[in-house]
Amino acid sequence: MLKESVWLCKCFCLSNFAPCQNKKYYQGIRAAVSRIKARGERVVVLDIGTGTGLLSMMAVTAGADFCYAVEVFKPMAEAAQCIVKKNNFSDKIKIINKHSSDVTVGPDGDMHEKANLLITELFDTELIGEGALPSYQHAHQNLVTAGCEAVPHRATVYAQLVESELLWSWAQLQPADVEGARLVPPPTVGRCAGAHSVCDVQLSQVSPRSFTPLSPLCAMFSVDFSKPVSSAFQSHSTSFVARSGGRAQVVLSWWDLDMDPSGTIVCSMAPSWTYQQPAKAPWRDHWMQSVYFLPAERQVAEREELSLTVCHDDYSLWYSLQPHSLQDAQAATPPPRPCCTCQAHLVWTRPRFGELNDRRRTGSYVAALRSVSECRFHGRVYTVCVYVRSLKRGSLQVLSEDSVCLSVSDGSLLPVFAHMLGAKKVFSLENSRMSKQVIEEVLEANSKKGGVELLEIRPEQLTSQDLRGEQISILMGEPYFSTSLLPWHSLFFWYCRTALAGLLRPTATILPCSASLHVVAVEFQDLWRIRAPCGICEGFDVTPMDEMVQRSLDFRESREAEPHPLWEYPCRALTHPTAVMTFDFTQCVPQEPISSQGSLPFIRTGRCHGVALWMEYHLTDDVTVSGGLTQPISEQQGDCEWSRHRKQGVYFLRSAWDSLGDGRTSVSYSFTFEPSLGDVKMDFSITGH
């Protein structure tokens, strides 16, 4: 049911939050139908990936004689059938519940004749990632006439080479300072070309101040969909003169659709900061922008002549950079698709790379480890220390030599930090052999091989023998687990702590010592659109789609939070942020549920769409790491700044609420942590109105 609701919501979103896109399609369809009729031909349409049937209904309204609408996903095809019938187009539109490559043409086939107008919405952020090229190739070979019209008519991919410390931190592990010592990445990671998959983001939320353009915006290649299309490997190069000197690291990319041959009807995916009036840029979530990382950063000089090459197969793109003088050689032997050879890009996601490279965050964990050592000393837990100095004076504080540290987090550098701070007995539980290998390479690159004993053991399987007969004096975690989807899923650390209770010293320190769940009611700038009903779209009644989506959501998901990277989706706080639950890691997971009720009074005017949720981890009494807000909410407007490293939870209200900001109405909440399930159940309602 979850898979079905996700797919339905995607189609729901395409109809709902892209009015500009729909208008462009409608204009292109009208123009294409007119051109065919001007030639005295009947207009027979093939609509591949019809979704709601919206584009087919546009075509019939524009004068098409008949439409074959192909949709492979059965629930979506059923919804399209209902919508077509509701709008009285059943005699003009045939819904075919097949993949387009399985569609047949002939007297007994799915289509009685080939189409002369091809309409599709087969694209994703990378343009070709949903199999557009193979589908077009098959359609031209089997389903449409030679010289057919196509809407869209053409797609053009654009790219710009930039230097960006922020974006590059998502691709490569950077050196880190730990109390004056330098932690360097393994050479294998630095030489690795990285993961080949595209990084799709809302580039509108990446400030132009965070990157330096090294090239002009380059048109890399175009695909004419009205002519036969090939899904075979291709490469395209463009030459340019570097606008400025710097480190070439990242390629920013997006694409435009020309809905007509003359290119007068254009649907652009460009980020908002390319517009003269950024606020008027259309918002899209299905089609965003792409970030590609070069296989290796390269120093370029201002005015240097360079050549940027893009290659693609049938589903993905990749980029490379070379001096202009080597362009011909590059064309003869185009670069292969990047492939991770260091394992790190398979262990760490791009947000995780960014998190590991966050200097402030690293400083918080180092400060917490120093504080732990100081607290143990002043708490009369006397141990043989290398030396201890006052934390307040900002000088070095190390862990005691007899400390036994155990780290529980996936692919974490925390045990490496502990060893660098003086702990001689450091163990780390790793969730996979690959993760273990990456941390081993980090240790070896810093001449600390053997400094951390990496154990491929689940917490409940760990024995005193695995710890060389020792008991744990410091149990630590970020916590981070690769399987976590929602913020509170990292409470798995609490369960690990409970499983390890018999191996802890009576005076053991738990880091973090506690965690808290925080909430704030918000008004989204655009994200609300993914849950808003479509109703009437471009004059067509698509309410059967709304009803199907709602039935799917009513199954469960509408009463739960869903994960979203809120740094990409601006919102305003309409209430104060509030800690609603606290989890004490110094104690074992309780047997009974933990409950919390309360309310969030509205203090700002706006339309409340839902509630944002996140976790904060209290490493010590003085050091906290937030997985949500990174700055205080702006007092006047309520603008929020969110962590780029972790997804936050979003609970959408069933109906948006208009707040007067006078404190008389509130969002009432009820939370229950179910220890047996390891999950947090929640409910929200508007009260006081």
Side-chain angles (χ1 to χ4, degrees):
M1 180 61 76
L2 177 59
K3 179 181 178 182
E4 177 180 319
S5 65
V6 168
W7 184 280
L8 289 173
C9 277
K10 171 190 165 183
C11 298
F12 190 51
C13 293
L14 287 173
S15 295
N16 187 48
F17 62 64
C20 176
Q21 172 183 318
N22 291 335
K23 290 182 188 300
K24 300 288 187 181
Y25 261 97
Y26 210 168
Q27 291 171 16
I29 289 169
R30 287 194 191 101
V33 170
S34 296
R35 288 195 299 274
I36 296 173
K37 284 191 170 295
R39 298 197 292 263
E41 301 175 20
R42 291 178 69 250
V43 181
V44 180
V45 176
L46 173 61
D47 176 6
I48 300 179
T50 193
T52 61
L54 179 64
L55 301 184
S56 287
M57 292 189 294
M58 289 179 178
V60 172
T61 304
D65 294 283
F66 198 81
C67 291
Y68 295 100
V70 180
E71 175 55 57
V72 68
F73 188 52
K74 186 176 181 180
M76 195 68 251
E78 292 172 349
Q81 194 78 59
C82 292
I83 291 169
V84 165
K85 182 177 180 180
K86 190 176 185 69
N87 288 273
N88 300 314
F89 289 114
S90 296
D91 61 331
K92 293 277 191 172
I93 299 174
K94 179 183 179 181
I95 305 296
I96 303 172
N97 182 205
K98 288 184 175 183
H99 191 281
S100 63
S101 60
D102 296 324
V103 171
T104 57
V105 180
D108 299 321
D110 302 304
M111 299 172 60
H112 293 164
E113 59 186 315
K114 289 187 176 183
N116 56 3
L117 173 53
L118 177 58
I119 300 174
T120 63
E121 190 290 280
L122 295 172
F123 314 115
D124 69 344
T125 293
E126 202 173 12
L127 183 66
I128 64 173
E130 289 188 2
L133 295 182
S135 295
Y136 271 111
Q137 179 173 285
H138 176 269
H140 275 286
Q141 291 172 348
N142 301 280
L143 305 178
V144 298
T145 60
C148 72
E149 297 282 349
V151 178
H153 177 82
R154 177 175 48 245
T156 302
V157 173
Y158 296 91
Q160 186 168 41
L161 181 69
V162 304
E163 174 184 356
S164 174
E165 181 179 356
L166 168 66
L167 299 178
W168 191 241
S169 73
W170 299 352
Q172 290 290 341
L173 189 64
Q174 305 298 316
D177 291 323
V178 181
E179 294 298 298
R182 193 163 177 82
L183 181 70
V184 299
T188 53
V189 177
R191 293 193 299 265
C192 181
H196 72 267
S197 58
V198 64
C199 178
D200 54 342
V201 298
Q202 293 281 1
L203 268 184
S204 295
Q205 302 308 315
V206 177
S207 170
R209 294 189 296 274
S210 65
F211 61 85
T212 302
L214 303 180
S215 77
L217 183 63
C218 303
M220 298 303 301
F221 69 94
S222 295
V223 182
D224 186 336
F225 299 123
S226 69
K227 298 177 180 177
V229 171
S230 172
S231 61
F233 171 90
Q234 293 184 30
S235 66
H236 308 269
S237 297
T238 186
S239 299
F240 63 91
V241 175
R243 292 170 52 175
S244 63
R247 293 173 298 159
Q249 300 167 323
V250 175
V251 175
L252 309 181
S253 181
W254 56 87
W255 44 268
D256 288 353
L257 294 177
D258 291 334
M259 296 298 181
D260 64 325
S262 64
T264 56
I265 307 170
V266 181
C267 186
S268 176
M269 306 305 125
S272 62
W273 36 259
T274 64
Y275 286 70
Q276 289 188 343
Q277 296 179 289
K280 292 188 176 181
W283 184 78
R284 299 182 178 89
D285 197 45
H286 176 49
W287 297 343
M288 296 188 284
Q289 295 82 33
S290 301
V291 173
Y292 297 91
F293 304 97
L294 293 180
E297 66 178 350
R298 180 187 184 280
Q299 191 69 36
V300 301
E302 185 176 2
R303 305 299 302 167
E304 184 177 356
E305 294 186 3
L306 299 166
S307 178
L308 184 65
T309 297
V310 61
C311 301
H312 72 78
D313 53 20
D314 47 353
Y315 281 93
S316 59
L317 283 71
W318 60 96
Y319 284 83
S320 63
L321 180 71
Q322 54 279 329
H324 177 66
S325 58
L326 299 180
Q327 180 177 346
D328 292 341
Q330 180 78 65
T333 56
R337 178 164 56 182
C339 177
C340 176
T341 57
C342 71
Q343 313 293 342
H345 299 91
L346 305 179
V347 170
W348 295 325
T349 64
R350 284 167 180 135
R352 180 63 170 158
F353 265 100
E355 189 168 58
L356 294 173
N357 287 325
D358 187 328
R359 297 186 187 94
R360 286 181 58 186
R361 185 175 179 278
T362 296
S364 294
Y365 284 98
V366 171
L369 287 170
R370 293 173 61 194
S371 179
V372 165
S373 178
E374 185 176 67
C375 289
R376 288 175 58 78
F377 179 79
H378 290 302
R380 300 298 188 268
V381 182
Y382 292 107
T383 54
V384 179
C385 293
V386 178
Y387 52 91
V388 178
R389 296 180 189 167
S390 170
L391 180 63
K392 294 179 181 178
R393 291 198 300 270
S395 48
L396 185 62
Q397 175 77 49
V398 297
L399 296 172
S400 59
E401 286 192 342
D402 76 336
S403 293
V404 178
C405 301
L406 176 66
S407 173
V408 183
S409 280
D410 292 349
S412 176
L413 298 179
L414 202 54
V416 183
F417 298 159
H419 178 64
M420 293 176 73
L421 290 171
K424 301 301 181 185
K425 300 171 185 176
V426 184
F427 300 86
S428 180
L429 302 188
E430 293 298 334
N431 71 330
S432 70
R433 188 158 299 172
M434 195 178 298
S435 176
K436 178 181 175 183
Q437 178 182 327
V438 170
I439 302 302
E440 283 175 344
E441 290 185 1
V442 171
L443 290 164
E444 186 171 354
N446 290 274
S447 303
K448 299 189 181 299
K449 188 175 182 179
V452 177
E453 190 163 343
L454 303 168
L455 305 173
E456 233 183 298
I457 302 174
R458 292 181 61 83
E460 65 272 17
Q461 298 172 331
L462 191 70
T463 66
S464 177
Q465 186 176 357
D466 297 316
L467 299 175
R468 314 282 178 88
E470 299 275 5
Q471 284 190 305
I472 302 163
S473 58
I474 300 175
L475 176 63
M476 56 190 179
E478 300 185 35
Y480 172 83
F481 302 101
S482 58
T483 53
S484 296
L485 295 176
L486 288 161
W488 45 92
H489 289 173
S490 290
L491 288 174
F492 180 65
F493 175 79
W494 202 8
Y495 289 83
C496 295
R497 177 259 182 267
T498 302
L500 296 166
L503 299 175
L504 298 176
R505 293 182 188 176
T507 57
T509 296
I510 312 297
L511 187 158
C513 57
S514 65
S516 50
L517 175 61
H518 294 247
V519 302
V520 63
V522 296
E523 174 186 58
F524 285 110
Q525 181 175 302
D526 293 296
L527 189 62
W528 60 271
R529 300 175 190 272
I530 71 171
R531 285 296 186 94
C534 300
I536 305 299
C537 184
E538 298 301 319
F540 302 101
D541 186 345
V542 293
T543 53
M545 179 68 190
D546 296 341
E547 294 162 3
M548 179 170 283
V549 170
Q550 195 56 56
R551 284 196 301 272
S552 179
L553 292 172
D554 283 343
F555 174 73
R556 186 171 180 183
E557 285 90 78
S558 65
R559 298 189 297 277
E560 293 186 348
E562 54 192 65
H564 289 283
L566 290 185
W567 73 268
E568 294 187 64
Y569 304 107
C571 62
R572 294 175 55 241
L574 302 181
T575 67
H576 290 301
T578 303
V580 295
M581 299 191 88
T582 299
F583 309 94
D584 185 359
F585 295 160
T586 65
Q587 305 297 317
C588 291
V589 175
Q591 297 293 317
E592 299 300 319
I594 302 173
S595 297
S596 172
Q597 294 82 35
S599 60
L600 307 169
F602 287 115
I603 60 171
R604 295 182 184 89
T605 59
R607 169 158 281 206
C608 181
H609 298 113
V611 175
L613 307 99
W614 69 98
M615 295 290 287
E616 293 188 359
Y617 295 97
H618 311 290
L619 307 184
T620 67
D621 292 340
D622 302 317
V623 183
T624 294
V625 172
S626 173
L629 291 172
T630 58
Q631 298 289 338
I633 293 170
S634 67
E635 192 64 34
Q636 187 172 3
Q637 294 297 323
D639 295 330
C640 303
E641 290 189 27
W642 299 97
S643 168
R644 285 188 168 99
H645 310 319
R646 305 251 178 141
K647 290 183 178 180
Q648 294 72 42
V650 175
Y651 185 105
F652 288 100
L653 299 178
R654 283 182 175 271
S655 300
W657 179 261
D658 290 323
S659 162
L660 298 177
D662 56 8
R664 286 194 246 178
T665 54
S666 305
V667 178
S668 294
Y669 60 80
S670 174
F671 286 89
T672 301
F673 170 68
E674 297 279 1
S676 60
L677 301 175
D679 201 6
V680 177
K681 301 299 180 184
M682 63 196 70
D683 192 28
F684 297 90
S685 60
I686 304 296
T687 57
H689 55 282

